[in-house]
Amino acid sequence: MKKAKTIQIILIPIIILQMGCLSYLQYAPKRDDPISQLGDKHSVRLDSTWTPEKAQKLLKIFNSTSPDQPVHHSVWKLSDEDLDDDIKIETLAGIKSVTVSRDVFVVGESEQALPSDKRLFKAAVQFISDNGTNRAALMRILQERYGISVEVTEDVKGYILMPTYARANVHPKGFSEIDNEDLILFISILEAFPQALHKLPQLRYVVSRNENIGGGAAAKAWTSSSFIEFKKSILDNAPDSGIMLILAHEKTHFLWSHLFPVQLKQDWAKLGGWYRNKNSRTGWSTTKDRKEFVTDYAYKNNPNEDMAESLAYYLVHPDKLRACSEAKYDFIHNRIMLMYGTRYMPPDMLLGK
């Protein structure tokens, strides 16, 4: 009898404790705020300098670039310091201390000042890729965020070489691996496009070739074969801005061929004074002066090349485009950047989905 009472005395508090635990779990608030989610999913701890709104922007970036990939334990703070690439990463007692410039957040966003968060994204990529040394992370971002692979497997070689050889009569001499530094440049310029234009099913590969592509081209967009190819010497020797200009130019050809509506292309041709001319080398001529085109190449070819050059300069050197044609700058800003950035956003392309 005493033994039974003793067991009862021991069990009662255990049961009460268990009920208390169950009650707490039942009524405990869900950790669905962005600050908690960054800690729970990505081991990112934010200090008091972060607001929930700013944390939400960072969470979306982490969710879209490394949704299932645990990263280093880290503590993040915002600062007014002048930081290279807007971020400083230090390791203290085995924990990464990350300082981010407050300037990465655009103040007073509106349709006249595009909401981008591009600087915050670039800083986060620096962290996620261990300052560009983690190639697997960079390749994952390219694939998951932009639908692009730079891996040239045997299957990809056969897929790419056949149409290239057939169309350009180029003898296949092989491919080269694209350096991590160039992958970071690729990510930087691809991110600069409106979010709804990040992924195009028709663009699947970007490759580097150890040969002349044909016609002295630095790169070529094979819009019916899903890939862009760079000449290796261009990736080795061109300045960073040059590589970004080229990739933006070639991607724009895919947009022109597969996405932009006929009306937009017709309006662009009208703005550039373009008309069909069978006596012209390209089949097109323009009534406009050279000074209204951002490059000689844009002026001497056709509305497709004019758009590719103009959009690339809008993203990399906007002042140069604006200086030669305010009208073209405004067209790209309103009809492409704003239209595809704020008014057209397929659900499957949303950040953090």
Side-chain angles (χ1 to χ4, degrees):
M1 191 71 174
K2 288 184 179 180
K3 186 176 180 180
K5 287 184 178 180
T6 303
I7 293 173
Q8 188 178 18
I9 291 170
I10 294 172
L11 285 177
I12 288 173
I14 292 176
I15 293 170
I16 292 173
L17 182 60
Q18 287 178 335
M19 291 178 64
C21 290
L22 290 172
S23 177
Y24 172 79
L25 291 173
Q26 183 177 356
Y27 296 105
K30 293 182 179 180
R31 293 171 60 85
D32 58 358
D33 64 284
I35 294 175
S36 296
Q37 287 188 56
L38 277 165
D40 295 343
K41 292 182 64 177
H42 304 291
S43 303
V44 170
R45 310 294 175 184
L46 305 182
D47 76 355
S48 59
T49 59
W50 289 78
T51 63
E53 293 74 21
K54 290 180 171 64
Q56 182 64 39
K57 294 177 185 292
L58 186 63
L59 175 64
K60 287 181 178 181
I61 293 170
F62 270 93
N63 283 347
S64 66
T65 54
S66 52
D68 302 312
Q69 301 290 328
V71 295
H72 309 288
H73 287 277
S74 56
V75 178
W76 292 55
K77 68 176 181 178
L78 296 175
S79 172
D80 294 322
E81 294 180 59
D82 184 16
L83 304 172
D84 292 338
D85 294 323
D86 295 316
I87 190 169
K88 180 172 66 177
I89 305 170
E90 302 171 295
T91 302
L92 305 172
I95 301 293
K96 288 190 177 293
S97 174
V98 183
T99 305
V100 176
S101 171
R102 291 184 194 275
D103 293 339
V104 300
F105 295 100
V106 179
V107 177
E109 293 178 343
S110 69
E111 285 201 350
Q112 297 307 312
L114 284 172
S116 60
D117 298 327
K118 306 303 183 187
R119 288 172 63 181
L120 177 62
F121 176 83
K122 185 178 179 182
V125 168
Q126 288 292 112
F127 173 80
I128 292 166
S129 67
D130 294 325
N131 283 317
T133 63
N134 187 333
R135 184 174 182 83
L138 294 172
M139 293 176 69
R140 185 178 68 248
I141 292 170
L142 281 167
Q143 180 63 62
E144 294 181 0
R145 194 166 174 87
Y146 313 109
I148 288 174
S149 173
V150 295
E151 276 193 302
V152 184
T153 62
E154 288 304 316
D155 289 343
V156 173
K157 281 183 183 180
Y159 171 79
I160 290 176
L161 283 175
M162 185 168 62
T164 304
Y165 181 77
R167 297 179 190 192
N169 195 28
V170 175
H171 182 70
K173 297 178 183 177
F175 300 84
S176 60
E177 185 176 271
I178 300 174
D179 294 339
N180 287 6
E181 292 82 358
D182 291 326
L183 297 185
I184 291 176
L185 295 177
F186 287 2
I187 290 170
S188 296
I189 192 59
L190 292 170
E191 183 65 22
F193 282 85
Q195 192 175 309
L197 304 183
H198 280 181
K199 281 186 178 181
L200 268 174
Q202 297 85 1
L203 176 55
R204 297 168 55 198
Y205 305 102
V206 177
V207 300
S208 172
R209 295 287 294 274
N210 301 326
E211 60 184 281
N212 289 329
I213 294 171
K220 186 171 180 62
W222 296 92
T223 56
S224 60
S225 300
S226 304
F227 71 97
I228 293 169
E229 58 181 344
F230 273 85
K231 187 161 61 174
K232 182 179 184 300
S233 60
I234 295 297
L235 291 176
D236 289 344
N237 301 305
D240 291 355
S241 61
I243 292 172
M244 290 193 290
L245 276 171
I246 292 169
L247 184 55
H249 175 111
E250 303 303 341
K251 173 162 180 170
T252 300
H253 283 315
F254 279 85
L255 299 175
W256 184 276
S257 297
H258 298 291
L259 185 68
F260 288 161
V262 171
Q263 188 62 57
L264 184 146
K265 293 189 283 189
Q266 289 176 345
D267 292 346
W268 177 260
K270 182 178 179 181
L271 179 62
W274 292 103
Y275 64 93
R276 298 280 186 178
N277 180 2
K278 65 180 181 180
N279 297 318
S280 169
R281 173 184 61 83
T282 65
W284 290 86
S285 293
T286 177
T287 60
K288 302 290 186 176
D289 293 336
R290 161 64 184 87
K291 64 182 180 181
E292 295 187 41
F293 294 82
V294 73
T295 63
D296 285 338
Y297 190 74
Y299 172 65
K300 292 178 179 179
N301 280 277
N302 53 50
N304 185 347
E305 296 292 354
D306 183 21
M307 170 64 82
E309 286 287 87
S310 298
L311 182 49
Y313 270 80
Y314 178 98
L315 297 176
V316 181
H317 298 303
D319 290 344
K320 291 185 179 180
L321 176 62
R322 198 168 210 163
C324 74
S325 177
E326 186 84 26
K328 286 183 177 179
Y329 179 96
D330 289 343
F331 185 102
I332 292 173
H333 183 83
N334 293 310
R335 298 286 295 276
I336 297 176
M337 302 304 290
L338 287 178
M339 182 65 72
Y340 290 93
T342 61
R343 299 171 198 167
Y344 170 72
M345 188 67 67
D348 61 335
M349 292 185 184
L350 288 172
L351 273 172
K353 181 174 174 62

